[in-house]
Amino acid sequence: AATATAAVIEAARAEGVHRYLYAYPSAKNSASNAICRKAGFELEEECDFEYPRGSGNIMRCNAWRFDLRPEFDVRPEQPE
């Protein structure tokens, strides 16, 4: 799963269309959340996610975000 996640990240980065890649594993799925963490995703929040879409089945998830173009990250300078 970690190798597949890395491959998806690289494919999305190479495509160059989107700035961010998102993942929404169940908040209870520690293995999937660990893969996101180790792959470099940042945990944004815990949220409700309908899966599958249109089913009415709400799943509690962790929303993870991966920056595909970190070189464009503009951060204000910190005063010394």
PDB file of all heavy atoms in Angstrom, residues 1-12 21 31-32 34-36 38-41:
ATOM      1  N   ALA A   1       0.818  -1.196   0.000  1.00  0.00           N
ATOM      2  CA  ALA A   1       0.000   0.000   0.000  1.00  0.00           C
ATOM      3  C   ALA A   1       0.861   1.258   0.000  1.00  0.00           C
ATOM      4  O   ALA A   1       0.533   2.238  -0.660  1.00  0.00           O
ATOM      5  CB  ALA A   1      -0.943  -0.007   1.196  1.00  0.00           C
ATOM      6  N   ALA A   2       1.970   1.247   0.729  1.00  0.00           N
ATOM      7  CA  ALA A   2       2.848   2.423   0.766  1.00  0.00           C
ATOM      8  C   ALA A   2       3.474   2.680  -0.603  1.00  0.00           C
ATOM      9  O   ALA A   2       3.587   3.833  -1.036  1.00  0.00           O
ATOM     10  CB  ALA A   2       3.931   2.229   1.825  1.00  0.00           C
ATOM     11  N   THR A   3       3.860   1.604  -1.291  1.00  0.00           N
ATOM     12  CA  THR A   3       4.437   1.738  -2.633  1.00  0.00           C
ATOM     13  C   THR A   3       3.407   2.281  -3.612  1.00  0.00           C
ATOM     14  O   THR A   3       3.711   3.153  -4.435  1.00  0.00           O
ATOM     15  CB  THR A   3       4.980   0.374  -3.119  1.00  0.00           C
ATOM     16  OG1 THR A   3       5.959  -0.086  -2.180  1.00  0.00           O
ATOM     17  CG2 THR A   3       5.600   0.479  -4.491  1.00  0.00           C
ATOM     18  N   ALA A   4       2.183   1.797  -3.515  1.00  0.00           N
ATOM     19  CA  ALA A   4       1.112   2.282  -4.390  1.00  0.00           C
ATOM     20  C   ALA A   4       0.802   3.751  -4.112  1.00  0.00           C
ATOM     21  O   ALA A   4       0.585   4.531  -5.039  1.00  0.00           O
ATOM     22  CB  ALA A   4      -0.145   1.436  -4.200  1.00  0.00           C
ATOM     23  N   THR A   5       0.815   4.145  -2.852  1.00  0.00           N
ATOM     24  CA  THR A   5       0.572   5.541  -2.491  1.00  0.00           C
ATOM     25  C   THR A   5       1.658   6.431  -3.079  1.00  0.00           C
ATOM     26  O   THR A   5       1.362   7.485  -3.653  1.00  0.00           O
ATOM     27  CB  THR A   5       0.502   5.706  -0.961  1.00  0.00           C
ATOM     28  OG1 THR A   5      -0.553   4.880  -0.462  1.00  0.00           O
ATOM     29  CG2 THR A   5       0.248   7.146  -0.567  1.00  0.00           C
ATOM     30  N   ALA A   6       2.901   6.020  -2.977  1.00  0.00           N
ATOM     31  CA  ALA A   6       4.006   6.786  -3.549  1.00  0.00           C
ATOM     32  C   ALA A   6       3.869   6.902  -5.066  1.00  0.00           C
ATOM     33  O   ALA A   6       4.132   7.966  -5.647  1.00  0.00           O
ATOM     34  CB  ALA A   6       5.347   6.149  -3.187  1.00  0.00           C
ATOM     35  N   ALA A   7       3.420   5.829  -5.714  1.00  0.00           N
ATOM     36  CA  ALA A   7       3.230   5.850  -7.163  1.00  0.00           C
ATOM     37  C   ALA A   7       2.116   6.817  -7.561  1.00  0.00           C
ATOM     38  O   ALA A   7       2.234   7.540  -8.559  1.00  0.00           O
ATOM     39  CB  ALA A   7       2.929   4.443  -7.676  1.00  0.00           C
ATOM     40  N   VAL A   8       1.039   6.842  -6.796  1.00  0.00           N
ATOM     41  CA  VAL A   8      -0.067   7.773  -7.073  1.00  0.00           C
ATOM     42  C   VAL A   8       0.407   9.218  -6.899  1.00  0.00           C
ATOM     43  O   VAL A   8       0.085  10.093  -7.709  1.00  0.00           O
ATOM     44  CB  VAL A   8      -1.285   7.472  -6.169  1.00  0.00           C
ATOM     45  CG1 VAL A   8      -2.311   8.591  -6.232  1.00  0.00           C
ATOM     46  CG2 VAL A   8      -1.918   6.153  -6.575  1.00  0.00           C
ATOM     47  N   ILE A   9       1.174   9.474  -5.861  1.00  0.00           N
ATOM     48  CA  ILE A   9       1.711  10.819  -5.636  1.00  0.00           C
ATOM     49  C   ILE A   9       2.556  11.252  -6.831  1.00  0.00           C
ATOM     50  O   ILE A   9       2.395  12.360  -7.356  1.00  0.00           O
ATOM     51  CB  ILE A   9       2.532  10.875  -4.332  1.00  0.00           C
ATOM     52  CG1 ILE A   9       1.612  10.762  -3.119  1.00  0.00           C
ATOM     53  CG2 ILE A   9       3.367  12.161  -4.270  1.00  0.00           C
ATOM     54  CD1 ILE A   9       2.335  10.549  -1.804  1.00  0.00           C
ATOM     55  N   GLU A  10       3.449  10.406  -7.269  1.00  0.00           N
ATOM     56  CA  GLU A  10       4.318  10.754  -8.393  1.00  0.00           C
ATOM     57  C   GLU A  10       3.532  10.932  -9.691  1.00  0.00           C
ATOM     58  O   GLU A  10       3.837  11.824 -10.475  1.00  0.00           O
ATOM     59  CB  GLU A  10       5.430   9.719  -8.554  1.00  0.00           C
ATOM     60  CG  GLU A  10       6.462   9.797  -7.448  1.00  0.00           C
ATOM     61  CD  GLU A  10       6.951  11.220  -7.179  1.00  0.00           C
ATOM     62  OE1 GLU A  10       7.352  11.928  -8.117  1.00  0.00           O
ATOM     63  OE2 GLU A  10       6.916  11.638  -6.000  1.00  0.00           O
ATOM     64  N   ALA A  11       2.519  10.099  -9.917  1.00  0.00           N
ATOM     65  CA  ALA A  11       1.697  10.244 -11.121  1.00  0.00           C
ATOM     66  C   ALA A  11       0.924  11.562 -11.100  1.00  0.00           C
ATOM     67  O   ALA A  11       0.855  12.274 -12.114  1.00  0.00           O
ATOM     68  CB  ALA A  11       0.730   9.060 -11.247  1.00  0.00           C
ATOM     69  N   ALA A  12       0.372  11.909  -9.945  1.00  0.00           N
ATOM     70  CA  ALA A  12      -0.370  13.168  -9.823  1.00  0.00           C
ATOM     71  C   ALA A  12       0.570  14.358  -9.983  1.00  0.00           C
ATOM     72  O   ALA A  12       0.221  15.356 -10.623  1.00  0.00           O
ATOM     73  CB  ALA A  12      -1.093  13.231  -8.473  1.00  0.00           C
ATOM     74  N   LEU A  21      -3.232  16.748  -3.344  1.00  0.00           N
ATOM     75  CA  LEU A  21      -3.808  15.410  -3.409  1.00  0.00           C
ATOM     76  C   LEU A  21      -4.407  15.139  -2.035  1.00  0.00           C
ATOM     77  O   LEU A  21      -3.765  15.426  -1.016  1.00  0.00           O
ATOM     78  CB  LEU A  21      -2.702  14.397  -3.721  1.00  0.00           C
ATOM     79  CG  LEU A  21      -3.091  12.933  -3.858  1.00  0.00           C
ATOM     80  CD1 LEU A  21      -4.024  12.737  -5.052  1.00  0.00           C
ATOM     81  CD2 LEU A  21      -1.830  12.093  -4.040  1.00  0.00           C
ATOM     82  N   ALA A  31      -3.878   1.740  10.081  1.00  0.00           N
ATOM     83  CA  ALA A  31      -2.899   1.393   9.044  1.00  0.00           C
ATOM     84  C   ALA A  31      -2.950   2.390   7.886  1.00  0.00           C
ATOM     85  O   ALA A  31      -1.901   2.873   7.424  1.00  0.00           O
ATOM     86  CB  ALA A  31      -3.144  -0.024   8.536  1.00  0.00           C
ATOM     87  N   SER A  32      -4.131   2.735   7.424  1.00  0.00           N
ATOM     88  CA  SER A  32      -4.257   3.692   6.324  1.00  0.00           C
ATOM     89  C   SER A  32      -3.801   5.081   6.743  1.00  0.00           C
ATOM     90  O   SER A  32      -3.159   5.800   5.965  1.00  0.00           O
ATOM     91  CB  SER A  32      -5.704   3.754   5.824  1.00  0.00           C
ATOM     92  OG  SER A  32      -6.051   2.546   5.191  1.00  0.00           O
ATOM     93  N   ALA A  34      -1.543   5.702   8.980  1.00  0.00           N
ATOM     94  CA  ALA A  34      -0.080   5.629   9.084  1.00  0.00           C
ATOM     95  C   ALA A  34       0.569   5.759   7.707  1.00  0.00           C
ATOM     96  O   ALA A  34       1.613   6.414   7.572  1.00  0.00           O
ATOM     97  CB  ALA A  34       0.341   4.321   9.747  1.00  0.00           C
ATOM     98  N   ILE A  35      -0.028   5.176   6.694  1.00  0.00           N
ATOM     99  CA  ILE A  35       0.498   5.293   5.328  1.00  0.00           C
ATOM    100  C   ILE A  35       0.474   6.754   4.888  1.00  0.00           C
ATOM    101  O   ILE A  35       1.444   7.266   4.328  1.00  0.00           O
ATOM    102  CB  ILE A  35      -0.282   4.398   4.344  1.00  0.00           C
ATOM    103  CG1 ILE A  35       0.092   2.930   4.606  1.00  0.00           C
ATOM    104  CG2 ILE A  35      -0.002   4.784   2.895  1.00  0.00           C
ATOM    105  CD1 ILE A  35      -0.774   1.938   3.879  1.00  0.00           C
ATOM    106  N   CYS A  36      -0.632   7.433   5.147  1.00  0.00           N
ATOM    107  CA  CYS A  36      -0.725   8.855   4.793  1.00  0.00           C
ATOM    108  C   CYS A  36       0.367   9.657   5.496  1.00  0.00           C
ATOM    109  O   CYS A  36       1.052  10.476   4.877  1.00  0.00           O
ATOM    110  CB  CYS A  36      -2.099   9.409   5.151  1.00  0.00           C
ATOM    111  SG  CYS A  36      -3.437   8.797   4.116  1.00  0.00           S
ATOM    112  N   LYS A  38       3.264   8.629   6.801  1.00  0.00           N
ATOM    113  CA  LYS A  38       4.604   8.276   6.330  1.00  0.00           C
ATOM    114  C   LYS A  38       4.881   8.774   4.920  1.00  0.00           C
ATOM    115  O   LYS A  38       6.029   9.045   4.565  1.00  0.00           O
ATOM    116  CB  LYS A  38       4.804   6.764   6.399  1.00  0.00           C
ATOM    117  CG  LYS A  38       4.919   6.251   7.823  1.00  0.00           C
ATOM    118  CD  LYS A  38       5.033   4.748   7.864  1.00  0.00           C
ATOM    119  CE  LYS A  38       5.022   4.256   9.300  1.00  0.00           C
ATOM    120  NZ  LYS A  38       5.060   2.789   9.377  1.00  0.00           N
ATOM    121  N   ALA A  39       3.824   8.909   4.104  1.00  0.00           N
ATOM    122  CA  ALA A  39       3.985   9.379   2.729  1.00  0.00           C
ATOM    123  C   ALA A  39       4.169  10.896   2.657  1.00  0.00           C
ATOM    124  O   ALA A  39       4.493  11.437   1.601  1.00  0.00           O
ATOM    125  CB  ALA A  39       2.781   8.963   1.880  1.00  0.00           C
ATOM    126  N   GLY A  40       3.934  11.584   3.770  1.00  0.00           N
ATOM    127  CA  GLY A  40       4.131  13.026   3.787  1.00  0.00           C
ATOM    128  C   GLY A  40       2.874  13.853   3.705  1.00  0.00           C
ATOM    129  O   GLY A  40       2.933  15.070   3.554  1.00  0.00           O
ATOM    130  N   PHE A  41       1.718  13.202   3.804  1.00  0.00           N
ATOM    131  CA  PHE A  41       0.455  13.946   3.848  1.00  0.00           C
ATOM    132  C   PHE A  41       0.373  14.686   5.181  1.00  0.00           C
ATOM    133  O   PHE A  41       0.931  14.239   6.185  1.00  0.00           O
ATOM    134  CB  PHE A  41      -0.742  12.993   3.767  1.00  0.00           C
ATOM    135  CG  PHE A  41      -1.046  12.466   2.395  1.00  0.00           C
ATOM    136  CD1 PHE A  41      -0.278  11.466   1.831  1.00  0.00           C
ATOM    137  CD2 PHE A  41      -2.135  12.941   1.677  1.00  0.00           C
ATOM    138  CE1 PHE A  41      -0.566  10.944   0.576  1.00  0.00           C
ATOM    139  CE2 PHE A  41      -2.435  12.435   0.428  1.00  0.00           C
ATOM    140  CZ  PHE A  41      -1.645  11.439  -0.132  1.00  0.00           C
TER     141      PHE A  41
END
